[in-house]
Amino acid sequence: MSNIEQTLSIIKPDAVERNLDNEIKQMFLKNEFNIIKEKKIQIEKSEAEKFYKVHETKPFYNDLCSYLSSGPIIAMILEKENAVADNRKLMGATNPNDAEEGTIRKKYGISIDKNSVHGSDSVENAKIEIDFFFKN
Ligand code: IDP
Ligand code: MG
């Protein structure tokens, strides 16, 4: 049975700044993701705070929200079978030092905070995050 899903991916400021967006998009396409929608935007810190609300109590929350709003990002809706889990796998571990060879974060991530990409962590959150960026 097919299980086509959508997930939200963000190319974060560190990667956009280094012009890695095309290389990262190619990795998605080579791994059978379709890029359904995409937009390049810069968000306000208050919007980043909303987006990352689940991390509100974490010590890194303020820096994280400053960072996500520090420069242009590319938000994308990715679609394929098992998109949510497959994207998490392709991204690699949160800390690029722990990420497996061949993953986006291993290849391009600089540090745990500048780790180049975001990906939704569940089908439910994917819906919420897609709406956050793409619902008018
Ligand atoms: P994820 O992006 O792999 O889903 P989360 O735990 O959801 O990881 O954390 C969201 C983002 O917060 C991470 O991508 C990373 O940029 C940042 N982050 C997570 N843990 C730390 C930390 O311990 N120090 C600094 N930044 C962190
Ligand atoms: Mg997360």
Side-chain angles (χ1 to χ4, degrees):
M1 209 176 81
S2 87
N3 180 37
I4 301 289
E5 292 173 354
Q6 293 189 340
T7 191
L8 183 86
S9 171
I10 301 174
I11 304 178
K12 293 185 177 181
D14 67 274
V16 175
E17 185 177 86
R18 287 176 289 151
N19 295 310
L20 295 171
D21 46 319
N22 282 328
E23 284 178 55
I24 292 173
K25 281 180 208 165
Q26 284 307 315
M27 285 182 78
F28 290 126
L29 296 174
K30 275 183 199 153
N31 284 275
E32 293 167 22
F33 289 89
N34 290 311
I35 301 171
I36 302 295
K37 282 189 186 171
E38 64 171 281
K39 64 177 173 190
K40 188 175 189 178
I41 44 166
Q42 183 162 359
I43 61 172
E44 299 289 337
K45 189 174 179 192
S46 59
E47 296 175 287
E49 286 166 350
K50 247 183 257 170
F51 182 75
Y52 273 133
K53 198 162 177 28
V54 293
H55 294 303
E56 193 169 34
T57 60
K58 308 274 171 62
F60 56 83
Y61 179 64
N62 185 57
D63 287 348
L64 175 62
C65 297
S66 297
Y67 168 64
L68 193 71
S69 56
S70 68
I73 59 175
I74 298 169
M76 292 170 289
I77 300 176
L78 303 182
E79 187 177 271
K80 78 182 288 292
E81 277 202 21
N82 302 311
V84 173
D86 284 3
N87 180 41
R88 295 292 306 191
K89 203 168 169 190
L90 181 60
M91 286 164 59
T94 305
N95 188 337
N97 291 332
D98 301 331
E100 281 183 44
E101 285 301 329
T103 62
I104 296 172
R105 284 169 164 171
K106 179 72 176 186
K107 281 181 98 154
Y108 302 119
I110 296 169
S111 59
I112 191 163
D113 43 328
K114 296 185 173 177
N115 59 8
S116 301
V117 280
H118 167 85
S120 309
D121 62 6
S122 67
V123 172
E124 190 190 356
N125 284 335
K127 292 196 174 95
I128 295 167
E129 293 181 354
I130 285 169
D131 274 359
F132 185 92
F133 282 100
F134 292 100
K135 201 173 173 181
N136 332 302

